[in-house]
Amino acid sequence: MHPDGAQLGISVFFVVSLATRVALTAGFELRRPKAAVGAIAALTVLGVGLLALGGSVPVLFVALAILGVPHGLVFPLALGLIAEETPPAKLARANAAFSAWTSGVTVVLPAVLGGLVAVAGLRAMFLALLVPVLALGALVAAWPTPG
């Protein structure tokens, strides 16, 4: 694929992510956060699976569009859950810790994934991404629902 096509695919990803966040600001509510996390995990598995197993530009664009939805939902959902579970006096610290964690992942993950691509190939790297997604999805599914 030409680099222009790759950039267009990334643009599709971010446009869908932005549209998802716009829907949240327009009043769409996530009334069942646990179900939302399950849907986010399912969409991520589908999108990453398509990236790993697909072999054409249209499949790449569909996968990136699918992945834009979880990308648009995860951060606002996480901040909402942090706000619900954290006393107001500790909220700034909790948000800072969450932001530091996500920034750290953004710094470390490309090097780890790049090493995995060098050792096992691109498809294996994408499939390896499913391990933490499935583990976190299972953790959320097993977590007791309050009330």
Side-chain angles (χ1 to χ4, degrees):
M1 173 189 298
H2 193 272
D4 294 348
Q7 179 57 45
L8 186 57
I10 297 298
S11 295
V12 166
F13 170 83
F14 281 111
V15 165
V16 172
S17 177
L18 175 63
T20 302
R21 290 186 183 175
V22 166
L24 290 174
T25 64
F28 178 81
E29 293 185 33
L30 296 173
R31 295 184 184 162
R32 295 177 36 212
K34 187 173 177 179
V37 171
I40 287 167
L43 287 171
T44 302
V45 168
L46 177 62
V48 171
L50 285 172
L51 285 177
L53 303 174
S56 68
V57 173
V59 171
L60 170 70
F61 278 42
V62 168
L64 290 172
I66 290 168
L67 289 169
V69 175
H71 184 267
L73 290 176
V74 165
F75 200 73
L77 178 63
L79 290 177
L81 292 172
I82 289 169
E84 286 178 10
E85 298 296 325
T86 305
K90 295 183 179 182
L91 187 56
R93 182 178 176 159
N95 283 336
F98 177 67
S99 181
W101 173 254
T102 57
S103 295
V105 169
T106 302
V107 169
V108 172
L109 199 58
V112 171
L113 295 178
L116 188 55
V117 167
V119 171
L122 190 61
R123 290 184 197 275
M125 182 273 299
F126 281 127
L127 292 172
L129 283 174
L130 295 178
V131 173
V133 172
L134 293 170
L136 288 172
L139 178 66
V140 169
W143 202 266
T145 303

